[in-house]
Amino acid sequence: MAKYLVIVESPAKAKTINKFLGSNYQVVASNGHVRDLPKSQLGIDIENDFEPKYITIRGKGDILAMLRKEVKKADKVYLATDPDREGEAISWHLANALKLEGKQVHRITFNEITKTAVKSSIKQARDIDMDLVDAQQARRILDRMVGYKISPLLWAKVKRGLSAGRVQSVALRIICDREKEIDSFIPEEYWTLDVLLDVKGEKKPLTAKFYGREKEKMEIRSQKELDALLADLEGHPYKIFNIKNGERSKKPPMPFTTSTLQQEASKLLNFSTQKTMRIAQQLYEGVDIKGNGTVGLITYLRTDSTRISEEADEAVRKFIGEAYGEDYVIRQVKDGKKNGKIQDAHEAIRPSNSEMTPTKVKESLSRDQFRLYQLIWSRFVASRMSDAVYATTTVKINCNGYIFTVTASRIKFEGFLSVYKHAEDKAEANVLLKKLTEDSELSFSSFESKQHFTQPPAHFTEASLVKTLEELGIGRPSTYAPTITTIISRRYVAKENKNLYVTELGEVVNQIMKDAFPSIVDVSFTANLEFLLDKVEEGAVNYKTVVRNFYPDLEEAVQKAEKELEQVKIEDEVSDVICDQCGRHMVIKYGPHGKFLACPGFPECRNTKTYFEKIGVSCPKCGKDIVIRKTQKGRKYYGCEDNPECDFMTWQRPSGKICPKCGNALLIKGQKLVCADVSCGYRENIEETGKE
């Protein structure tokens, strides 16, 4: 009979660990959390110093009964949940739910599920770290307070089922602020000019880019400026006056953190943050590998550190030296500066065994598992490889005092690029540079000019939102994916072609949060709370102190919002649309997808219709009304009510005025009216038009 009981979260993890330990050990799974705050109430005793009221999670009774039986048989109990705040809290809840007082209870953690790591952790068993537990309790209590105090206000004023969250509401605000930037952005015109030059003795022409004067870079802002420049260049010779050969190095990337893994998996594999974390969890907990049994392929997946253990560093260097040669092994690695936002509790995300190459495990993995493992493996190996070295050539050409430049580079030594290539690495066009000298004869062939317009800030993608949240110090590795999943599932944000767009519902919720709870959606305030949670983890701040300081301001804001929002009675707006089933005037209501028309005779009459809000502007194509429409996923745009007969549409709000220059619609952008045809370039101030 087993003397020692090891409790982990998942059956997959239990299966992997079980094969490393002898018959004296039994490994069982709790299937995640066993206790939490009740769903039906706040679950925090405000009067009793904010004491949380934990209950057994519904459906976990049988699992706890099974675990209690196993505990009675065991001499020692090892709690082997994940090595982070949440894992520590799960162990603490298990100890309480299983009534382990009087038992020999030990907490063990391992960053990778390998035989060496698991056995080593048992030798280094410790007590439950209450600072980690308290940091997690503080986060849970703060999140519960925000959610349960503010969400009912949204239900009362918008619709049931909405939610506010300490991190999700800030994430929504960040996306809304970006949308406003994009909507008010006014593009500026600029031109690029290339000259094609024939080189004596060469078949292919040389392409040189316009730079400006020798000591001053020049921008070409209009067709008029371009024409003046071309007139200055006409008939003048082109002469090489400087050729500079050099060398540049490209450093290898750092190993993955949770954030950078989510970003790269999104860009290179088109994975959502949620999918990336799900597959990474599978690779961490263990996969059946032919000839090896169940193997945990990667280290723990929730980390914001780029640190690597000495053993892993030594092993990968040895692998690189044998597989690629000693020239490919990096001499010294800087793991990045540690700042206040990095907990550094774990290593970076890396393969558990560098020699377990993607090709060796490919047959045992699903397609998505293989692609993610290959990304993690190649990034880690590349991080311990030499710089890539490029030979560079820069040529300067003079024509009547104006400078054109030609640059090219070629790989001299691949270094880490032999393992981890970037999508942006492109072949150079000018391959004849090595034959050029200052005496080479150049003759004009042709000009290539192109009109461009400055682009607005890009819409957030999941990857760029994660990067922004990390840079602002909002959330932690474990919160990025669930935060994004929540705002999409609540329909506050729509995801189309990787981009995130605010829905009408998201705009309403964000505006209420900004008006009634400005501190909750304040970026600095939220980042400071994360800093305080880190201090709780370090044992420098008591978690109840953080909660005590937070609650009064929240309660005051909630009471104030209740009074102010009481005066904002949102009545069902009566429309001019007649119900074709009972003859009543239909009313405008909010649903999961935004506004819709419903019969006020509900439940006797259940007729509903799609609602298109008119904006009081006529279609510039056919003269009918412009209405607000939505894409299938909820992104707002403006189109003709006579669609599909009339195909007019625009993402920006039309003003109802026509461009006097080209006849296209004028759109409202910030405080200006801008022609819908970007190449026209016409704009005027809204103040001058008398419009608000």
Side-chain angles (χ1 to χ4, degrees):
M1 187 173 72
K3 296 178 183 177
Y4 310 125
L5 181 68
V6 180
I7 304 177
V8 297
E9 295 106 321
S10 75
K13 195 173 176 182
K15 183 182 176 185
T16 309
I17 292 171
N18 200 48
K19 72 171 195 171
F20 300 141
L21 302 173
S23 58
N24 285 336
Y25 290 85
Q26 183 180 5
V27 187
V28 292
S30 70
N31 287 301
H33 286 273
V34 292
R35 294 200 313 171
D36 196 9
L37 300 172
K39 287 187 176 180
S40 58
Q41 55 181 277
L42 180 64
I44 300 159
D45 191 343
I46 306 295
E47 305 302 322
N48 187 22
D49 199 21
F50 305 99
E51 195 63 29
K53 303 174 185 176
Y54 294 113
I55 62 167
T56 300
I57 295 172
R58 183 175 292 179
K60 288 298 177 83
D62 291 343
I63 291 173
L64 282 173
M66 176 274 292
L67 291 173
R68 287 188 188 111
K69 282 183 186 176
E70 298 302 332
V71 165
K72 285 179 182 177
K73 302 176 193 173
D75 295 334
K76 284 185 183 178
V77 178
Y78 292 97
L79 301 172
T81 50
D82 285 346
D84 57 10
R85 292 174 187 169
E86 192 169 5
E88 204 75 19
I90 291 174
S91 284
W92 179 70
H93 284 301
L94 281 167
N96 281 276
L98 299 175
K99 298 181 172 61
L100 296 181
E101 301 89 352
K103 276 277 182 185
Q104 288 195 54
V105 181
H106 303 282
R107 173 78 169 114
I108 59 173
T109 59
F110 29 81
N111 194 50
E112 54 189 338
I113 305 178
T114 61
K115 187 173 184 178
T116 304
V118 172
K119 290 203 163 187
S120 174
S121 72
I122 290 174
K123 292 176 185 176
Q124 297 169 15
R126 58 172 172 80
D127 293 332
I128 291 173
D129 186 335
M130 284 309 298
D131 290 333
L132 283 173
V133 174
D134 287 346
Q136 182 62 24
Q137 285 198 95
R139 176 183 288 282
R140 190 75 187 94
I141 291 170
L142 293 174
D143 289 348
R144 174 56 69 100
M145 284 175 169
V146 171
Y148 275 53
K149 288 287 185 178
I150 298 177
S151 296
L153 294 175
L154 298 178
W155 301 349
K157 295 305 166 190
V158 187
K159 76 176 195 70
R160 288 195 68 81
L162 300 182
S163 71
R166 192 178 57 82
V167 176
Q168 78 177 49
S169 296
V170 181
L172 176 62
R173 178 179 181 170
I174 289 169
I175 297 170
C176 287
D177 288 349
R178 175 63 60 87
E179 288 283 338
K180 283 187 177 177
E181 280 185 69
I182 294 168
D183 287 345
S184 60
F185 180 83
I186 299 171
E188 299 289 339
E189 179 184 11
Y190 71 98
W191 291 72
T192 54
L193 176 66
D194 293 347
V195 62
L196 273 64
L197 301 167
D198 292 323
V199 183
K200 189 174 182 181
E202 297 292 340
K203 292 181 180 178
K204 291 184 177 179
L206 186 71
T207 302
K209 296 183 179 299
F210 176 72
Y211 174 80
R213 299 290 186 181
E214 187 170 355
K215 294 183 179 179
E216 178 192 3
K217 186 172 175 60
M218 291 174 60
E219 298 289 341
I220 309 171
R221 294 293 183 188
S222 64
Q223 176 80 54
K224 185 178 178 182
E225 288 184 12
L226 176 70
D227 291 342
L229 174 62
L230 293 176
D232 282 352
L233 295 169
E234 189 175 357
H236 292 279
Y238 291 82
K239 176 69 177 172
I240 295 173
F241 72 95
N242 182 277
I243 298 178
K244 187 176 181 181
N245 293 308
E247 200 174 85
R248 67 177 173 87
S249 297
K250 187 172 188 177
K251 294 191 176 299
M254 302 302 290
F256 281 129
T257 62
T258 303
S259 166
T260 53
L261 176 63
Q262 290 173 350
Q263 291 171 50
E264 287 299 291
S266 174
K267 285 186 272 190
L268 300 176
L269 309 180
N270 202 23
F271 285 2
S272 67
T273 52
Q274 189 180 31
K275 182 175 181 177
T276 299
M277 297 306 282
R278 185 179 71 249
I279 295 170
Q281 186 77 33
Q282 295 165 5
L283 296 175
Y284 166 68
E285 290 182 345
V287 182
D288 284 327
I289 304 296
K290 290 178 183 176
N292 292 277
T294 308
V295 178
L297 288 175
I298 65 168
T299 54
Y300 192 55
L301 57 147
R302 294 178 182 89
T303 176
D304 48 12
S305 171
T306 56
R307 182 176 58 78
I308 293 297
S309 71
E310 289 182 13
E311 295 85 353
D313 186 61
E314 189 179 322
V316 73
R317 287 169 183 272
K318 183 182 176 186
F319 170 78
I320 295 167
E322 291 172 355
Y324 297 91
E326 289 301 322
D327 288 347
Y328 284 80
V329 182
I330 198 167
R331 298 295 161 233
Q332 191 174 6
V333 178
K334 288 185 180 178
D335 281 337
K337 294 178 182 176
K338 188 180 177 195
N339 60 48
K341 296 174 189 172
I342 295 177
Q343 295 172 43
D344 205 42
H346 316 120
E347 291 185 59
I349 302 170
R350 61 167 175 82
S352 302
N353 181 355
S354 305
E355 295 190 5
M356 195 75 79
T357 62
T359 50
K360 285 182 181 177
V361 299
K362 186 174 183 179
E363 287 185 17
S364 304
L365 303 182
S366 69
R367 180 173 180 269
D368 286 340
Q369 286 174 338
F370 170 73
R371 293 170 74 206
L372 190 65
Y373 180 68
Q374 185 178 46
L375 185 65
I376 293 167
W377 184 91
S378 58
R379 173 86 165 217
F380 172 62
V381 173
S383 75
R384 264 49 193 172
M385 294 181 79
S386 304
D387 294 0
V389 180
Y390 293 81
T392 62
T393 305
T394 304
V395 179
K396 290 185 178 179
I397 301 168
N398 189 309
C399 179
N400 194 27
Y402 293 102
I403 307 301
F404 288 80
T405 61
V406 187
T407 57
S409 62
R410 60 180 177 81
I411 292 180
K412 194 174 178 182
F413 177 68
E414 270 199 321
F416 77 90
L417 289 176
S418 55
V419 172
Y420 192 84
K421 286 210 165 109
H422 293 264
E424 61 266 23
D425 289 331
K426 295 176 182 175
E428 297 291 344
N430 292 304
V431 292
L432 55 89
L433 290 187
K434 57 187 175 182
K435 300 176 184 177
L436 288 177
T437 68
E438 291 190 14
D439 296 325
S440 296
E441 290 184 28
L442 306 177
S443 56
F444 173 78
S445 174
S446 63
F447 284 120
E448 285 185 355
S449 60
K450 194 176 285 187
Q451 185 187 36
H452 306 269
F453 292 90
T454 53
Q455 297 298 306
H459 287 281
F460 276 115
T461 62
E462 288 194 27
S464 60
L465 181 59
V466 165
K467 185 178 181 183
T468 300
L469 290 173
E470 183 183 40
E471 288 172 347
L472 294 172
I474 294 170
R476 284 296 179 257
S478 60
T479 64
Y480 301 137
T483 296
I484 293 171
T485 302
T486 299
I487 58 177
I488 292 174
S489 65
R490 296 283 182 192
R491 301 186 188 277
Y492 300 163
V493 169
K495 184 179 174 184
E496 288 185 18
N497 300 323
K498 282 195 177 185
N499 290 332
L500 301 176
Y501 301 98
V502 180
T503 64
E504 184 180 17
L505 193 57
E507 288 176 353
V508 171
V509 170
N510 180 59
Q511 197 57 51
I512 289 177
M513 290 297 295
K514 280 173 67 177
D515 292 344
F517 306 99
S519 65
I520 298 294
V521 291
D522 180 75
V523 170
S524 300
F525 175 79
T526 308
N528 186 54
L529 267 183
E530 296 290 357
F531 173 76
L532 289 173
L533 292 176
D534 290 346
K535 289 298 177 187
V536 173
E537 179 177 332
E538 293 167 12
V541 176
N542 184 287
Y543 93 93
K544 288 281 184 75
T545 303
V546 177
V547 178
R548 289 183 203 117
N549 291 337
F550 178 81
Y551 182 76
D553 291 338
L554 173 66
E555 184 63 17
E556 184 184 340
V558 169
Q559 289 176 0
K560 184 182 175 186
E562 282 174 341
K563 288 176 185 174
E564 291 178 355
L565 291 175
E566 272 177 14
Q567 300 163 12
V568 185
K569 186 74 174 169
I570 300 181
E571 300 278 0
D572 289 336
E573 186 183 341
V574 180
S575 75
D576 56 1
V577 178
I578 303 297
C579 176
D580 47 22
Q581 292 185 16
C582 69
R584 294 182 176 96
H585 278 275
M586 301 189 83
V587 295
I588 301 165
K589 287 185 173 289
Y590 266 103
H593 303 279
K595 292 178 182 176
F596 68 98
L597 290 173
C599 182
F602 181 87
E604 293 81 19
C605 180
R606 296 174 174 268
N607 190 23
T608 61
K609 289 184 177 182
T610 304
Y611 172 68
F612 294 119
E613 182 182 348
K614 296 177 181 178
I615 65 169
V617 169
S618 299
C619 175
K621 279 194 171 183
C622 70
K624 293 189 177 178
D625 283 318
I626 294 290
V627 295
I628 298 174
R629 293 179 174 271
K630 294 190 195 76
T631 64
Q632 196 171 8
K633 293 193 176 179
R635 186 185 176 194
K636 185 171 73 175
Y637 69 95
Y638 301 90
C640 181
E641 67 172 346
D642 200 25
N643 180 276
E645 282 71 22
C646 177
D647 62 357
F648 175 80
M649 75 80 63
T650 174
W651 297 111
Q652 271 77 42
R653 190 182 186 97
S655 66
K657 292 174 70 76
I658 299 299
C659 175
K661 190 173 173 183
C662 70
N664 272 295
L666 288 178
L667 309 177
I668 300 172
K669 287 201 171 192
Q671 292 301 308
K672 289 187 181 290
L673 298 184
V674 179
C675 182
D677 182 358
V678 180
S679 62
C680 168
Y682 179 81
R683 64 193 63 174
E684 60 182 73
N685 291 327
I686 285 181
E687 290 82 1
E688 294 171 7
T689 69
K691 276 188 170 285
E692 292 183 2

